Amino acid sequence: MAHQDGPHRAKKSLGQNFLTDPNICRKIVDALAPGSEDYIIEIGPGQGALTEHLAEVGARRLQVVEMDDDLAARLEDRWPELEVVRADALKFPWTALNDTGPCKIIGNLPYNVGSKLIWDIVSQVETLERAVFMVQHEVALRLTAEPGNKAFGGLTAWVKNFCDTKYLFKVPPTVFRPRPKVDSAVVRFDPLPLDGRPDEQDRLAELIKLLFQQRRKQISTILKKRMTPQVEQWFRDEGVSPSARPETLTPAQFRTLSLIY
């Protein structure tokens, strides 16, 4: 496909902010601990700031998911061996990765879709070995918050049922072109053992959404119509006060409650 040879103009509609600092790019890639036997997927490679460092690793398979045709063509020109998938990452069939063996996923995620993508990836990719994502700083705080912390929300409760999360480092707006208005941060995701994952994901998602839509209310108030003897017993067994707020529950407590409420 023909494309312009001049500099690519970032498209606001796609939430494009390109990384320009090679040191930060290397730090992000190093956090993934990529190896020559790995199957690595990069989301939103843009102008290849991370791809460049990933390509040097000589991974067994390196695939990038890019929805901007102009950028995809440039990436193919620069790295002919790269597998370029022209697709919207939100529509990518993540569950298909379960048939291809272990994989690692990395990306500087667009702010407007980062949370949704992470929600899908951690729950759908059972073969995930590790993921490293750069997101809006506020989202990074949510992803790594502990119960009882104001930043602990529905996204936290969901993601931590699938992965351990670690806040790695903050990234200032100055290393992007164009500059975003807020700070970013890099988070590492290490999957929990498969037998520790929720069996009934739909019920867990439903409970999390129900509780956090009314997060300022007491849990017993939100669940008033569902306060069966079993649920009342759950409060006693878990040592949770019915007047507690949703963000005080642990990820595991969301899971056990989701099976009975």
Side-chain angles (χ1 to χ4, degrees):
M1 176 188 147
H3 57 87
Q4 304 157 341
D5 289 326
H8 178 88
R9 289 180 66 103
K11 295 185 175 70
K12 205 171 178 182
S13 61
L14 300 182
Q16 290 177 346
N17 295 94
F18 300 120
L19 264 172
T20 57
D21 184 319
N23 294 327
I24 286 192
C25 293
R26 176 156 306 282
K27 262 178 88 171
I28 296 170
V29 169
D30 286 349
L32 191 69
S36 57
E37 291 305 306
D38 288 342
Y39 169 25
I40 300 171
I41 299 119
E42 183 188 356
I43 299 170
Q47 295 175 316
L50 297 181
T51 320
E52 187 172 349
H53 298 283
L54 291 165
E56 286 171 5
V57 171
R60 178 174 63 82
R61 187 174 175 196
L62 179 56
Q63 192 174 48
V64 299
V65 181
E66 178 55 68
M67 68 184 292
D68 184 315
D69 276 333
D70 178 38
L71 288 173
R74 290 171 187 241
L75 292 162
E76 285 168 336
D77 285 355
R78 190 169 165 195
W79 293 287
E81 71 284 1
L82 196 60
E83 284 182 52
V84 179
V85 179
R86 297 174 187 230
D88 177 351
L90 284 174
K91 299 191 177 101
F92 189 84
W94 295 110
T95 48
L97 294 175
N98 296 330
D99 301 325
T100 53
C103 64
K104 292 179 177 178
I105 305 179
I106 191 169
N108 164 20
L109 302 184
Y111 287 168
N112 51 348
V113 296
S115 300
K116 173 79 176 83
L117 267 176
I118 290 169
W119 180 287
D120 290 348
I121 288 168
V122 297
S123 56
Q124 292 175 19
V125 186
E126 295 179 4
T127 52
L128 186 67
E129 285 185 297
R130 170 172 285 184
V132 173
F133 294 127
M134 179 154 55
V135 291
Q136 204 168 334
H137 187 251
E138 179 198 337
V139 175
L141 293 179
R142 294 213 322 258
L143 286 163
T144 54
E146 294 299 328
N149 184 306
K150 239 194 177 80
F152 190 101
L155 182 65
T156 330
W158 177 260
V159 169
K160 287 195 171 197
N161 265 296
F162 298 93
C163 288
D164 284 327
T165 57
K166 186 168 172 52
Y167 180 105
L168 297 182
F169 54 91
K170 197 176 198 171
V171 183
T174 47
V175 301
F176 293 95
R177 189 188 59 77
R179 290 185 184 187
K181 293 186 172 66
V182 293
D183 288 321
S184 304
V186 177
V187 177
R188 190 181 78 211
F189 301 77
D190 292 300
L192 299 169
L194 279 182
D195 58 6
R197 291 164 68 94
D199 292 327
E200 302 203 26
Q201 292 189 15
D202 291 349
R203 295 190 63 163
L204 177 61
E206 194 180 284
L207 175 69
I208 286 172
K209 284 170 183 168
L210 175 71
L211 289 180
F212 281 101
Q213 273 163 359
Q214 308 176 63
R215 64 176 298 157
R216 287 188 172 72
K217 291 186 177 173
Q218 299 178 358
I219 299 169
S220 56
T221 307
I222 305 169
L223 297 181
K224 195 162 65 184
K225 292 178 181 152
R226 307 177 189 229
M227 286 298 269
T228 60
Q230 207 179 356
V231 171
E232 287 172 1
Q233 186 61 45
W234 177 90
F235 279 102
R236 289 194 289 275
D237 290 346
E238 291 291 335
V240 172
S241 162
S243 62
R245 303 268 188 287
E247 71 264 19
T248 59
L249 298 185
T250 66
Q253 285 171 333
F254 279 97
R255 188 157 78 231
T256 53
L257 181 57
S258 73
L259 297 174
I260 58 164
Y261 84 102

